[in-house]
Amino acid sequence: MKRIGMLTSGGDCQALNAAMRGVAKCIFNSGEEVEMYGFLEGYRGLIYGDFRMLTGCDFSGVLTKGGTILGSSRTPFKTIKDPDENGLDKVEAMKQNYYKLRLDCLVILGGNGTHKTANLLRSEGLNVVTLPKTIDNDLWGTDMTFGFQSAVNIATDAIDCIHTTAASHGRVFIVEVMGHKVGYLTLNAGIAGGADIILIPEIPYDIDKVIDKIEERNRNGSKFTILAVAEGAISKEDAKLSKKEYKEKMKNYKYPSVSYEIAEKIKERSGHEVRVTVPGHTQRGGSPCPYDRVFASRLGSEAGKMILNGEYGFMVGYKNREIVKVPLEEVAGKLKMVAPDARIVKEAKLLGICFGD
Ligand code: F6P
């Protein structure tokens, strides 16, 4: 008899349900006797013993469903060792709930923060298997995370829609793309949507270079320009600031987000009319694209296989077109970022795309 706990933590994304279904189908189909428990709203459910039993029926019809059937929440790693408002030791509470249910293992689906806590639980002696979810694709140890391709589709659709109106009005348009501190989503959606300028956190921008590109397009007869700007894009000046100086500067930041700052600077210095579009959380919503359904199902079934074999302490990742097991201690606490000299960046530059550098 296997007793398995499962939870989804952090910001949701597409294909979380597909991945859990993959795990469940693999294990339920194995013929092994199994009890499966779903902890509700991420680590919160594990801390406070909020769970429900899961059966095959829970996974019926969820392959195409966005969000997560277990709910999710953010439980920041930096405060995980602090007692809660009632003095509860959260790490100890998670361990006790694991032992009370006599679990053989926990399946944890999450991104960067989630992996730090998963690794902590592993180091505390719990059996853990994780799956890489995030639209940001910024998890160390895997070339791809599920949710990413679906989000690229949505961000690309947003740029596509802006294209026609930008062309009609001869305006400059900024589409702000999610991705937190990394630029994979913006880079891919920007190329797919035919953006003229792509600004990502890994390549700090010079606003004059951005304006030069807009003017060059105008001189060549293109009266509109589309910028795909990562929500974490940063100027060359700001990139030079220390963490402390940057934090201080941000205290008096007057813009809703970086795109509005860039828009104002373009208008001030060049007189061009600029419009900003922020698709925001739509990028995490809706049904997973076919790629993510297949990818998450594969990762899920591999995780199921590992659990049946009693192999714990790994994230199921994807490297060089192969599904791989990555030790959790290698994943936790590291960020995967776009290399400024990556081939895809060089290729984008050959297409004439400006990165503001
Ligand atoms: O990590 C996924 C993500 O969507 C990021 O791209 C974004 O910066 C962040 O989550 C938004 O978080 P929240 O949903 O908590 O506002």
Side-chain angles (χ1 to χ4, degrees):
M1 154 82 97
K2 285 261 184 210
R3 300 166 73 90
I4 297 159
M6 188 138 66
L7 63 88
T8 53
S9 172
D12 74 338
C13 72
Q14 304 88 343
L16 276 164
N17 293 324
M20 288 192 278
R21 172 182 173 272
V23 178
K25 276 200 176 269
C26 172
I27 292 175
F28 288 139
N29 286 339
S30 70
E32 173 114 21
E33 235 191 297
V34 61
E35 271 180 12
M36 202 172 274
Y37 298 89
F39 292 98
L40 307 181
E41 294 174 15
Y43 287 117
R44 198 196 61 75
L46 184 57
I47 295 169
Y48 298 105
D50 193 5
F51 61 83
R52 66 181 170 89
M53 210 159 187
L54 300 171
T55 67
C57 295
D58 288 293
F59 299 99
S60 174
V62 302
L63 174 65
T64 59
K65 216 172 157 187
T68 157
I69 55 169
L70 296 180
S72 193
S73 64
R74 291 202 186 270
T75 314
F77 177 74
K78 65 175 178 213
T79 55
I80 200 75
K81 289 184 186 161
D82 301 345
D84 78 354
E85 57 280 12
N86 298 314
L88 181 79
D89 180 332
K90 294 184 290 238
V91 177
E92 196 47 39
M94 287 194 274
K95 287 164 67 178
Q96 287 315 315
N97 283 320
Y98 177 97
Y99 292 128
K100 249 189 249 162
L101 287 170
R102 291 181 286 120
L103 296 180
D104 291 294
C105 121
L106 271 174
V107 183
I108 298 177
L109 294 85
N112 273 306
T114 302
H115 273 80
K116 290 188 205 164
T117 302
N119 187 45
L120 173 70
L121 294 176
R122 178 205 57 81
S123 71
E124 291 282 328
L126 307 194
N127 292 329
V128 178
V129 171
T130 69
L131 290 165
K133 73 92 232 213
T134 166
I135 63 165
D136 304 340
N137 194 25
D138 60 351
L139 254 180
W140 186 267
T142 184
D143 294 341
M144 184 58 67
T145 57
F146 57 83
F148 176 69
Q149 295 292 348
S150 303
V152 169
N153 287 0
I154 295 168
T156 303
D157 277 349
I159 300 173
D160 286 350
C161 290
I162 289 299
H163 240 114
T164 52
T165 177
S168 313
H169 291 272
R171 283 173 177 159
V172 175
F173 266 92
I174 297 179
V175 179
E176 184 174 289
V177 181
M178 270 191 171
H180 198 44
K181 291 182 180 159
V182 306
Y184 285 107
L185 190 51
T186 310
L187 179 58
N188 282 271
I191 296 173
D196 310 295
I197 301 171
I198 295 178
L199 304 182
I200 59 174
E202 294 88 339
I203 306 178
Y205 67 86
D206 175 343
I207 195 69
D208 292 326
K209 295 275 167 62
V210 171
I211 293 168
D212 285 351
K213 177 70 183 179
I214 297 169
E215 303 298 11
E216 178 199 302
R217 281 180 55 79
N218 279 2
R219 277 195 307 278
N220 293 340
S222 306
K223 297 291 169 225
F224 72 95
T225 297
I226 294 184
L227 288 82
V229 172
E231 62 178 353
I234 187 163
S235 66
K236 278 195 195 289
E237 305 87 72
D238 284 353
K240 282 188 198 133
L241 299 177
S242 68
K243 243 187 175 176
K244 202 172 151 203
E245 288 168 332
Y246 185 66
K247 250 190 171 173
E248 203 50 44
K249 180 181 169 180
M250 292 315 276
K251 276 187 192 159
N252 303 314
Y253 196 66
K254 61 173 182 173
Y255 307 99
S257 66
V258 65
S259 297
Y260 293 89
E261 180 185 356
I262 294 171
E264 192 177 279
K265 285 190 182 148
I266 295 173
K267 171 106 178 91
E268 258 170 27
R269 297 185 192 197
S270 69
H272 287 291
E273 207 178 335
V274 187
R275 294 285 189 271
V276 176
T277 297
V278 183
H281 287 74
T282 62
Q283 293 163 96
R284 275 189 359 209
S287 185
C289 67
Y291 178 97
D292 273 337
R293 294 179 200 182
V294 175
F295 184 49
S297 300
R298 289 184 64 195
L299 293 178
S301 66
E302 291 284 345
K305 199 171 78 189
M306 279 165 56
I307 294 163
L308 291 170
N309 292 337
E311 293 179 88
Y312 306 121
F314 296 101
M315 174 183 80
V316 188
Y318 191 66
K319 276 261 164 208
N320 304 321
R321 296 172 182 262
E322 297 285 344
I323 304 237
V324 290
K325 292 179 286 189
V326 193
L328 278 178
E329 59 268 42
E330 278 180 25
V331 179
K334 291 186 209 141
L335 204 58
K336 185 183 72 184
M337 301 184 85
V338 176
D341 61 349
R343 280 183 78 157
I344 185 169
V345 174
K346 288 184 182 155
E347 287 150 3
K349 285 182 175 173
L350 291 175
L351 297 172
I353 297 172
C354 163
F355 284 80
D357 57 339

